[in-house]
Amino acid sequence: MIPHPPPPTPGPQPVADRRPAGAGITLSGVTRRYGQAGAAITALDEVTVSIQPAEAVAIMGPSGSGKSTLLHLVGAMDRPDTGTITAGDYAVHDLDRKAAAAYRRRVGFVFQRFHLLSALSALDNVLAPLLPMRIRPDPQPKAVALLDAVGLAGRERSTPAQLSGGQQQRVAIARALINDPIVVLADEPTGNLDTTTGADIITLLLDMRARHGTTLLIATHDPTIAARCDRTIHLADGQVLEPTEGG
Ligand SMILES: Nc1ncnc2c1ncn2[C@@H]1O[C@H](COP(=O)(O)OP(=O)(O)OP(=O)(O)O)[C@@H](O)[C@H]1O
Ligand SMILES: [Mg+2]
């Protein structure tokens, strides 16, 4: 009798094996209005969405549809008028000032205009989020390693003016990762970059997600970027349109 061959051994499953670092995020009935009653603008209107830990989600929609507002609310840079927001164990809608500051240290932000400090070197920009804190061990080797990981080894001493737009955005990504974030919020991170450079930046963000299991939200107008995410949330006039899989 011929013995059955052993069942194929499963290949490496790097994501499943790793302790997930990313937070699940929920928004439930979230409304944000700006301005006075009468002339009020409803930037987000009863938004309910659920995002899995380590999911990469694109936020799309016309200008003014509420993409940035949504990211600001998830990042506790703004508060909803009504509704609840959670990220991991944090009740984001309900944090006092101190708790909000602590939560924001667990969030990485990447912006369209990079928002680097022009007087500081690339290395010091990456270290900047740690400045208010006394950190041990010395965080500098980690910042150097992050700059290396985003392809900027040897450019630690360069200032933003000495770097291209794509390189500046790489510094911003390294800076976003210095605190081991549970979520990275990227608001049109390729908006100031040419198509090829922008595609490289998205590769870097998705790579970072794959390596660290960080939940990733990217607001974008670019459907090719959205197609590279796990899922797209479409906004129109502050409301979520029906979800579609794979972009
Ligand atoms: N601080 C603010 N004060 C008043 N209105 C605001 C404020 N921030 C946003 N809005 C309004 O809320 C709505 C949603 O704005 P938001 O910036 O979220 O849109 P967006 O989808 O990010 O647009 P874009 O693609 O142009 O970046 C818009 O009508 C905008 O004018
Ligand atoms: Mg915006």
Side-chain angles (χ1 to χ4, degrees):
M1 192 175 146
I2 301 166
H4 288 291
T9 48
Q13 292 175 312
V15 172
D17 286 349
R18 231 195 344 260
R19 183 170 53 88
I25 295 166
T26 65
L27 287 79
S28 186
V30 169
T31 294
R32 178 67 172 107
R33 287 187 200 87
Y34 291 111
Q36 311 296 330
I41 291 166
T42 305
L44 286 182
D45 187 5
E46 292 281 329
V47 165
T48 296
V49 296
S50 177
I51 293 162
Q52 301 303 309
E55 200 174 13
V57 176
I59 317 288
M60 289 197 82
S63 185
S65 59
K67 304 182 295 297
S68 295
T69 302
L70 190 152
L71 295 186
H72 293 160
L73 290 172
V74 171
M77 295 159 84
D78 189 13
R79 274 171 179 272
D81 293 298
T82 59
T84 61
I85 302 170
T86 65
D89 295 333
Y90 294 89
V92 177
H93 61 280
D94 198 28
L95 300 171
D96 63 27
R97 263 170 67 119
K98 206 172 154 193
Y103 166 70
R104 279 195 294 268
R105 283 198 286 274
R106 310 298 315 280
V107 179
F109 295 97
V110 180
F111 301 96
Q112 177 171 355
R113 285 180 224 287
F114 321 136
H115 290 208
L116 299 177
L117 297 165
S118 60
L120 297 187
S121 68
L123 184 67
D124 286 338
N125 266 284
V126 175
L127 289 166
L130 304 177
L131 281 180
M133 296 172 279
R134 200 172 296 173
I135 303 283
R136 288 181 195 284
D138 176 10
Q140 185 152 321
K142 182 179 179 184
V144 170
L146 282 169
L147 283 171
D148 187 10
V150 298
L152 288 178
R155 301 305 299 270
E156 294 84 2
R157 295 287 149 212
S158 300
T159 58
Q162 295 167 331
L163 298 170
S164 70
Q167 288 170 333
Q168 289 181 58
Q169 196 61 304
R170 288 167 186 271
V171 174
I173 291 171
R175 178 186 57 187
L177 298 177
I178 191 74
N179 273 328
D180 299 320
I182 55 174
V183 54
V184 169
L185 305 172
D187 196 351
E188 301 191 44
T190 67
N192 273 357
L193 304 173
D194 65 74
T195 308
T196 312
T197 309
D200 290 345
I201 288 297
I202 298 302
T203 300
L204 200 55
L205 286 169
L206 291 171
D207 226 51
M208 169 275 303
R209 186 279 296 255
R211 209 170 306 174
H212 302 286
T214 311
T215 310
L216 177 61
L217 270 59
I218 305 176
T220 181
H221 287 277
D222 185 340
T224 63
I225 289 171
R228 297 178 62 192
C229 294
D230 300 328
R231 184 160 65 98
T232 299
I233 292 171
H234 292 276
L235 291 177
D237 295 328
Q239 297 186 330
V240 178
L241 303 182
E242 91 267 25
T244 56
E245 292 298 321

